[in-house]
Structures are given as C-alpha cells and as structure tokens.
Amino acid sequence: MSKLLLVLLLFCFSTEAVAAKRIVLLAPAAGDILLKLGVANQVVGVTRNLKGFPRARQVGSHIHPNLEIIRSLAPDLLIISSNRFFSEQMAAAVDAPVFTYHPRTLDEILQQIGELAATLDKPTAGKRLVARQRQKLADIKPLAAAPKVMFEITAMPLIVAGSGHIVADIVNRAGGVLLAPSRRKLVRFNPESVLARQPDVYIYQVGPMNKNPLPPAERGPLKRLDARFLRVDELLFSRANTHSFDNVLKLNRYFREASNG
C-alpha cells in the first residue's frame, strides 16, 4: 500500500474512474473548494469546525482523526492535508483512495482545484472556479513601495509565518514583503526579534490556534513597534483555498490605504 497516495494518477488518467460519492474530508482548507465545486452532499465525514456539509458526521480533528468513525462511514475517497496526521497505515486500514490537499502558493491552489475537479468528475466547474480566482488577481493595484510585513500565528508562544506558509504568497502577491525568518511554515520567534526587523505592518490572526490574544499594541515589547496592526480571521486567512485570493485583494487595498496615510 506504499503507493496509495499516488492513486490520484489513476483518477486523472483512467477512463473507467468513477467519481467519489462518499468523501471523508480531513483537510479543512479543501472544504471551501468542495463547496464551490458543488459536491457538499457527497461528503459524509468532516473535521470539527467545518460547516456546509449536511450529510457529514464529525470525525475528530485533522490532527487527531477518529479512525473507527472514518471506517464506519465506508468512504470511497479520503482528502487529507498530510500523512503526518493520517498515515499510509491508517489509509490502508480504511482501504480508500487518498487525495492530499496541501498547497502552499496561489498557483498550487489553482493546480489542486483542477486535480480535485478531475477526481470528482467536475471538470467544467473546476475550470470556472480557477478562472474566477485568476480574475481576482487581475484586479491587484501596484504599490509605490512594498511594506514589510510580519504575520503572527500564535501569541503565546510567539510563532510567526515562514516562507512555507500560504500567507507568504498572499502578502507578496498583494505587494508586500513577508519578513519570514525561515523557509518553514511555522517559526518560533520572540518580540525582540520582531522589533529588530521593524515591520511596517504586523498582522495577527485570531481563531482556534490563537484564541483571544492580547492585541499586539498592548503587549510587552511590541508596544514599542512603529507599525500598523491588522487583525484577521484565522479560518479565512490561514487556509489555502479561494479565500486566499480574496485576501490578496483585501491586503492590497489595505496596503494602498496605509501608504496614503
């Protein structure tokens, strides 16, 4: 079963492939894509905090999925974000094809929309969805100067986004420069290092990973930061899907307004 994660190739190239009718969704970010492809009723299992799937039963979190519940749902497709939390051995126990949804850039989101659409026999809907996202990018306005941006994932401990996080591409496409300490997705950091880098904009997300953080402007050394502070919704901003394209436009507009005083 070591080649189980490559089963997507069979979906894409086999003329006898049948679209999945019982999907278990363990990659929360892909939920937005499935809704927009019109296959909500084919999803029988979802992780916590995913809305819009009327037939779906909760199967735990994407970090701690309940294997027994998943098996009881008899899925014919598993959509995961990583085999770190859902191993090949777990997939083998379910005995269902696996699609890994884990884009880190906007281009990869578009690519995976097309792959998911092909897998679910929704090629026309997939092409339309991709075209709509490309049109959003066409509305980006140029900036006179690129603002330096820091993105907070969690306040305690302080973890910021690295260049492997989707927000890196969102910030860069919007006209900014993410101050990413490393190529990793998440980077443990400290307030003094933030001060040393002097970002123009400090974005902090609020959601399941960063519940009710004290605003940075009221927090220790960050009080001394000469920057604009922007609060964003984690569930809309840190999940790589069509919302990522909306966030590019929102940030681009925010950067322009900030530069105009």
Side-chain angles (χ1 to χ4, degrees):
M1 304 299 287
S2 62
K3 296 183 179 179
L4 188 57
L5 296 182
L6 299 180
V7 76
L8 176 60
L9 295 176
L10 298 179
F11 278 101
C12 293
F13 298 110
S14 173
T15 58
E16 299 179 359
V18 178
K21 297 299 182 184
R22 297 184 61 81
I23 304 166
V24 168
L25 178 56
L26 301 178
D32 165 73
I33 308 299
L34 298 189
L35 289 172
K36 289 183 169 65
L37 289 176
V39 297
N41 287 330
Q42 295 166 223
V43 178
V44 296
V46 295
T47 56
R48 293 196 299 264
N49 300 320
L50 269 180
K51 308 298 183 184
F53 299 96
R55 294 184 57 204
R57 180 179 176 185
Q58 287 193 2
V59 296
S61 70
H62 75 285
I63 297 176
H64 299 293
N66 188 308
L67 186 59
E68 291 307 311
I69 294 178
I70 293 171
R71 291 181 65 182
S72 73
L73 294 173
D76 53 17
L77 179 65
L78 298 167
I79 301 177
I80 69 173
S81 59
S82 168
N83 59 14
R84 175 184 176 189
F85 303 122
F86 199 83
S87 66
E88 292 185 26
Q89 290 75 20
M90 295 172 73
V94 179
D95 194 24
V98 174
F99 184 103
T100 301
Y101 182 86
H102 189 59
R104 295 192 176 189
T105 67
L106 300 183
D107 287 340
E108 289 179 4
I109 293 173
L110 297 181
Q111 177 184 338
Q112 294 217 269
I113 289 175
E115 292 171 350
L116 266 176
T119 299
L120 299 171
D121 196 24
K122 292 283 185 177
T124 301
K127 289 177 181 178
R128 289 173 179 168
L129 187 55
V130 167
R132 288 198 296 271
Q133 308 323 304
R134 292 191 188 280
Q135 182 55 50
K136 293 175 185 177
L137 297 181
D139 293 334
I140 298 172
K141 307 297 183 185
L143 302 178
K148 297 179 295 182
V149 180
M150 186 72 69
F151 190 97
E152 175 184 291
I153 302 294
T154 65
M156 295 289 291
L158 181 59
I159 296 176
V160 301
S163 60
H165 199 289
I166 184 61
V167 301
D169 203 29
I170 291 173
V171 168
N172 293 340
R173 295 289 190 108
V177 176
L178 184 72
L179 299 176
S182 84
R183 295 182 180 179
R184 289 180 294 165
K185 183 177 180 180
L186 306 177
V187 185
R188 187 77 173 259
F189 218 47
N190 61 74
E192 289 74 18
S193 296
V194 174
L195 287 174
R197 291 174 180 249
Q198 287 295 307
D200 301 303
V201 179
Y202 187 97
I203 303 175
Y204 65 107
Q205 66 176 17
V206 178
M209 290 184 66
N210 204 26
K211 296 180 180 178
N212 304 314
L214 186 68
E218 304 172 16
R219 194 191 310 160
L222 295 183
K223 293 179 182 178
R224 306 197 304 271
L225 195 62
D226 183 20
R228 288 177 174 264
F229 296 99
L230 177 63
R231 170 179 169 144
V232 298
D233 185 335
E234 173 190 334
L235 297 183
L236 294 178
F237 222 95
S238 280
R239 290 178 174 175
N241 50 40
T242 66
H243 293 298
S244 301
F245 296 82
D246 298 320
N247 292 330
V248 170
L249 293 181
K250 291 176 183 177
L251 270 188
N252 179 249
R253 189 179 308 114
Y254 179 85
F255 292 156
R256 296 200 317 270
E257 291 172 354
S259 65
N260 292 332

